[in-house]
Amino acid sequence: MAGTQKLTRTTLRSGLGRVRGLGSAKEGVQHWWAQRVTAIALVPLTLWFVASVILLAGADHATVSAWIARPLNTVLLIALVAATFWHAALGLQVVIEDYIHTEGTKLVVLLAVKALLALVGLAGIVAVLRVAL
Amino acid sequence: MDAREALMTGTTSDGKLVRRPLSPHLQVYKLPLTAITSISHRITGVALAIGTGLLVSWLMAAAAGPIAFAEAQAFMGSFLGRLMLFGWTLALFYHFCNGIRHLAWDAGYGYDMETATRTGWLTIGGAVGLTLFAWILGYALLG
């Protein structure tokens, strides 16, 4: 094609240099990869959390507080909350982008959902720290 | 000739008339297991995102003190609370098992129809099995 030939003649940049930073959202595979990384992290974290909750079934406040305050549990709980809300934000983003086709509405819903998830996730981390510290 | 035939007619780049494939009409098309497991992954994902509020409210109740925590425990122990927790467990284990299936696909395994259908049934069986195991264990430990 003539247009392409003209472009290669008028630039000194390589083909790779020209496509870097392009793409639908200028982020390459970052979203896809972060979704997988958080998914892999959530495999052991989820199993640990479900097993812990079963063992804590019916436990009183003192027992649960002492469990949360143990350093390993504190760290794993914060990791669980962070990975869960990050994974949820990435997942819900894709769902919203798939079903809402009006640009303005999509942006507003995306921002609102991400803000809500960030706040609820932070609330979870603060709650863990308040019990632990 | 069906009127819908017109929608299915197209031309190739060299001008030949061809019948275009039509995307399935969801109300008459029987979804294969792979499609059902796919949309279920999305539905359980959205449900779990909402359900994480349950996890955070439990943590916040623990942070708020013994009275708030006792109230939270009482709600979780009620019929409605247990029903919600059961649904949450099932959605969690489904998304968990199907998520591992997705990771295997990402690594390049299990794409042929036969394997995909088999791992689909494995996902459903695994989710139901793990949910029942977790609840039986929970009730056994409660005594």
Side-chain angles (χ1 to χ4, degrees), chain A:
Chain A
M1 281 189 286
T4 318
Q5 275 169 7
K6 193 176 180 193
L7 191 65
T8 48
R9 266 188 263 113
T10 51
T11 178
L12 291 172
R13 296 175 69 199
S14 68
L16 179 63
R18 276 189 285 116
V19 298
R20 271 202 179 130
L22 299 178
S24 62
K26 299 174 180 55
E27 60 161 27
V29 296
Q30 190 250 317
H31 181 283
W32 183 89
W33 183 241
Q35 184 92 73
R36 268 70 192 170
V37 170
T38 50
I40 294 165
L42 281 168
V43 171
L45 286 171
T46 303
L47 289 178
W48 163 79
F49 179 70
V50 173
S52 304
V53 167
I54 291 170
L55 293 172
L56 286 169
D60 61 7
H61 182 252
T63 312
V64 172
S65 297
W67 179 82
I68 293 172
R70 272 164 59 190
L72 179 68
N73 295 338
T74 308
V75 170
L76 291 181
L77 272 175
I78 293 171
L80 172 74
V81 172
T84 299
F85 279 89
W86 192 1
H87 190 79
L90 294 169
L92 288 182
Q93 180 189 336
V94 176
V95 175
I96 292 163
E97 287 169 347
D98 277 355
Y99 300 132
I100 301 180
H101 304 299
T102 317
E103 206 56 43
T105 316
K106 184 168 79 186
L107 187 64
V108 170
V109 175
L110 273 175
L111 288 174
V113 166
K114 291 211 172 182
L116 187 68
L117 284 172
L119 288 174
V120 178
L122 279 172
I125 292 170
V126 169
V128 171
L129 290 175
R130 268 190 69 186
V131 176
L133 301 177

Side-chain angles (χ1 to χ4, degrees), chain B:
Chain B
M1 188 179 149
D2 200 299
R4 284 172 300 180
E5 291 283 317
L7 295 170
M8 292 194 266
T9 310
T11 49
T12 59
S13 49
D14 50 4
K16 215 165 66 184
L17 279 176
V18 286
R19 260 175 74 105
R20 291 248 176 264
L22 204 64
S23 55
H25 195 291
L26 289 175
Q27 282 161 311
V28 293
Y29 179 70
K30 184 174 178 289
L31 289 174
L33 184 74
T34 44
I36 295 168
T37 50
S38 174
I39 191 62
S40 302
H41 195 69
R42 178 160 279 197
I43 293 167
T44 51
V46 173
L48 286 167
I50 299 164
T52 47
L54 215 63
L55 163 66
V56 171
S57 63
W58 184 70
L59 291 169
M60 287 176 82
I67 299 163
F69 189 74
E71 278 173 13
Q73 289 285 71
F75 173 71
M76 300 286 195
S78 71
F79 177 75
L80 185 66
R82 279 178 201 213
L83 194 68
M84 280 171 66
L85 271 178
F86 187 82
W88 185 77
T89 318
L90 189 61
L92 180 73
F93 278 131
Y94 177 81
H95 202 82
F96 181 91
C97 292
N98 204 47
I100 290 170
R101 187 164 166 244
H102 267 280
L103 289 173
W105 282 330
D106 291 337
Y109 301 107
Y111 278 106
D112 62 287
M113 266 321 282
E114 202 185 308
T115 311
T117 304
R118 199 176 64 240
T119 54
W121 283 117
L122 266 173
T123 289
I124 296 168
V128 173
L130 281 168
T131 304
L132 291 178
F133 176 72
W135 279 77
I136 290 168
L137 195 66
Y139 273 107
L141 288 174
L142 269 177

